[in-house]
Amino acid sequence: MDWKTLHNLLNGVNKYSTAFSRIWLSVVFVFRVLVYVVAAEKVWGDEQKDFDCNTRQPGCTNVCYDHFFPISHIRLWALQLIFVTCPSLLVTMHVAYRKERERKNQEKNGVNCPKLYSNTGKKHGGLWWTYLFSLIFKLIIEILFLYLLHKMWDSFDLPRLVKCSNVDPCPNTVDCYIARPTEKRVFTYFMVGASSICIVLTVCEIFYLIFKRVVQRARKWRKSTKRSVSYSKASTCHCHVKSEEKDNKSQTRCVA
């Protein structure tokens, strides 16, 4: 898998991201992708070859391995990293769509025509919703994969000995041994911890976006109310001046 290409693509998202998203991207590529490429793939490279069972029954070892490892940790993490990083590309695609609309507008109405967007990369309108949706999607994916990993191995633990029972064609109960369980357990805890940090960062960014949007809405509402109050006061004063002028004219006529 070409992680460098994916990294270059996601670097373009940083221009439209918040500080939380930049930290998230650093955690993903330093503590997850880098560890995955450099060490994790090698640690799990011998898992099926060195999965040893105390039986010579043909096919029993393969069946027991499939029973305890319905999907390999390393492949599960690869899928998780792909699904987690791809939603960020939605933001880049939306910005590219805005730029294309702006270009077509200038070609149709001229360079000096009013712009459709004040800033194509600014998170307002539809782009804000796209950004928020990408964060929610990333959060759901992270939690879902952690749940799957927890279901496969209770508390993310890898025991030294697993017992394979009532699985054809294995006779009775078969004892099987996982290769380098301690080393794999350490890497599992590390990847789970890095994923948990990413979840916390994503939640913080979601609340930050919503809080910032609420504050902006509140400021606009305050400005609109101030303008309406000032306009009503000005109109009231203007009417009062006119009524005074009418009273003065009527008094003048009476004296004459």
Side-chain angles (χ1 to χ4, degrees):
M1 183 180 294
D2 192 0
W3 295 107
K4 186 177 180 181
T5 303
L6 183 61
H7 181 264
N8 292 333
L9 287 173
L10 292 176
N11 270 338
V13 185
N14 278 341
K15 295 185 294 183
Y16 321 113
S17 302
T18 63
F20 290 105
S21 186
R22 295 187 183 97
I23 297 172
W24 176 88
L25 189 62
S26 300
V27 171
V28 166
F29 277 94
V30 174
F31 294 102
R32 297 175 72 176
V33 174
L34 190 61
V35 172
Y36 175 90
V37 173
V38 174
E41 283 185 317
K42 296 180 181 178
V43 171
W44 266 267
D46 59 350
E47 55 181 337
Q48 188 170 6
K49 182 180 68 176
D50 294 344
F51 187 79
D52 192 19
C53 298
N54 61 349
T55 182
R56 296 298 178 184
Q57 179 69 30
C60 179
T61 302
N62 290 333
V63 171
C64 288
Y65 177 81
D66 183 67
H67 178 72
F68 288 104
F69 290 94
I71 182 171
S72 173
H73 283 60
I74 200 70
R75 293 179 180 87
L76 187 68
W77 287 332
L79 286 174
Q80 182 182 10
L81 289 171
I82 291 171
F83 280 112
V84 163
T85 52
C86 283
S88 299
L89 299 178
L90 291 174
V91 180
T92 307
M93 293 171 62
H94 197 143
V95 174
Y97 167 74
R98 282 185 165 189
K99 290 180 178 179
E100 183 65 17
R101 282 196 64 192
E102 195 67 62
R103 185 185 66 81
K104 289 182 179 180
N105 179 52
Q106 290 182 358
E107 287 182 355
K108 183 179 179 180
N109 302 317
V111 181
N112 298 323
C113 66
K115 292 184 177 181
L116 298 176
Y117 307 99
S118 58
N119 184 358
T120 55
K122 189 175 181 180
K123 293 186 290 295
H124 60 81
L127 184 60
W128 186 88
W129 288 104
T130 302
Y131 194 88
L132 183 64
F133 172 77
S134 67
L135 292 177
I136 294 173
F137 188 78
K138 284 193 294 186
L139 182 63
I140 293 173
I141 291 297
E142 291 278 19
I143 295 174
L144 179 62
F145 273 88
L146 282 183
Y147 174 76
L148 290 176
L149 192 62
H150 178 74
K151 288 290 290 183
M152 286 171 55
W153 297 98
D154 190 23
S155 300
F156 312 105
D157 190 24
L158 276 84
R160 299 176 183 274
L161 171 66
V162 292
K163 293 184 178 293
C164 187
S165 60
N166 300 324
V167 179
D168 294 332
C170 299
N172 302 321
T173 300
V174 177
D175 294 335
C176 296
Y177 302 89
I178 300 174
R180 295 186 288 179
T182 304
E183 189 175 8
K184 291 177 180 177
R185 188 184 301 118
V186 170
F187 274 97
T188 302
Y189 287 152
F190 181 85
M191 295 297 279
V192 169
S195 181
S196 301
I197 293 173
C198 290
I199 289 174
V200 173
L201 289 172
T202 305
V203 171
C204 290
E205 188 172 12
I206 290 173
F207 279 107
Y208 170 75
L209 278 178
I210 296 175
F211 176 76
K212 188 176 179 181
R213 187 65 175 267
V214 170
V215 170
Q216 289 176 351
R217 293 285 185 179
R219 288 177 179 174
K220 287 183 179 179
W221 181 78
R222 287 177 182 175
K223 287 181 180 179
S224 62
T225 52
K226 286 181 179 179
R227 287 177 182 175
S228 61
V229 169
S230 60
Y231 177 76
S232 61
K233 286 182 178 180
S235 60
T236 304
C237 293
H238 184 66
C239 294
H240 182 68
V241 170
K242 283 187 175 180
S243 63
E244 286 183 350
E245 289 178 353
K246 288 182 179 179
D247 292 338
N248 291 332
K249 286 182 179 180
S250 61
Q251 290 177 2
T252 305
R253 288 176 181 175
C254 293
V255 171

